[in-house]
Amino acid sequence: QVQLVESGGGLVQPGGSLRLSCAASGFTFSRYAMSWYRQAPGKERELVAGITSDGSYTNYGDSVKGRFTISRDNWKNTVYLQMNSLQTEDTGVYYCNAHASVGPDYWGQGTQVTVSS
């Protein structure tokens, strides 16, 4: 049974930091590229950051470049998103995604991040 379980969300003040985690099980994690997406109220889901299966390449949405860092630990089957200098515009539900060249994508249930003073 495939599972992606996000954690680490919460309420933080502008300028603060959070670290999200996504624990994977039920599939061969090291064969999948992993990404974080987010969806703000009334907006479409957007890509935040992605990382290749071996961790050698990362990419980021323009709005988070220089503030967020994606990483992964293939021994722990976990992907992380370090979020610094958080802004109110970063508020939303953050989802973990697993993607391979063959087969379906997998999604987590999401974790809420709220940036507010």
Side-chain angles (χ1 to χ4, degrees):
Q1 177 183 354
V2 172
Q3 281 194 312
L4 292 173
V5 180
E6 300 100 334
S7 61
L11 173 64
V12 64
Q13 292 186 341
S17 297
L18 282 176
R19 188 193 196 204
L20 305 183
S21 299
C22 172
S25 60
F27 63 100
T28 307
F29 180 77
S30 60
R31 294 182 181 177
Y32 283 71
M34 299 298 297
S35 298
W36 288 95
Y37 286 77
R38 70 185 179 191
Q39 189 164 19
K43 294 187 177 181
E44 293 187 354
R45 191 173 297 190
E46 65 173 345
L47 175 69
V48 175
I51 187 167
T52 52
S53 58
D54 64 356
S56 61
Y57 178 77
T58 59
N59 67 292
Y60 297 91
D62 288 342
S63 62
V64 307
K65 284 180 181 176
R67 300 188 297 121
F68 290 11
T69 303
I70 188 171
S71 62
R72 65 189 295 160
D73 185 334
N74 284 353
W75 292 105
K76 295 182 178 179
N77 289 356
T78 302
V79 63
Y80 305 97
L81 185 67
Q82 178 67 44
M83 306 187 294
N84 298 328
S85 302
L86 282 161
Q87 304 167 357
T88 55
E89 301 78 43
D90 296 317
T91 294
V93 179
Y94 283 68
Y95 297 92
C96 178
N97 166 271
H99 174 77
S101 57
V102 177
D105 280 19
Y106 303 126
W107 291 90
Q109 82 290 347
T111 186
Q112 176 71 44
V113 171
T114 302
V115 184
S116 175
S117 55

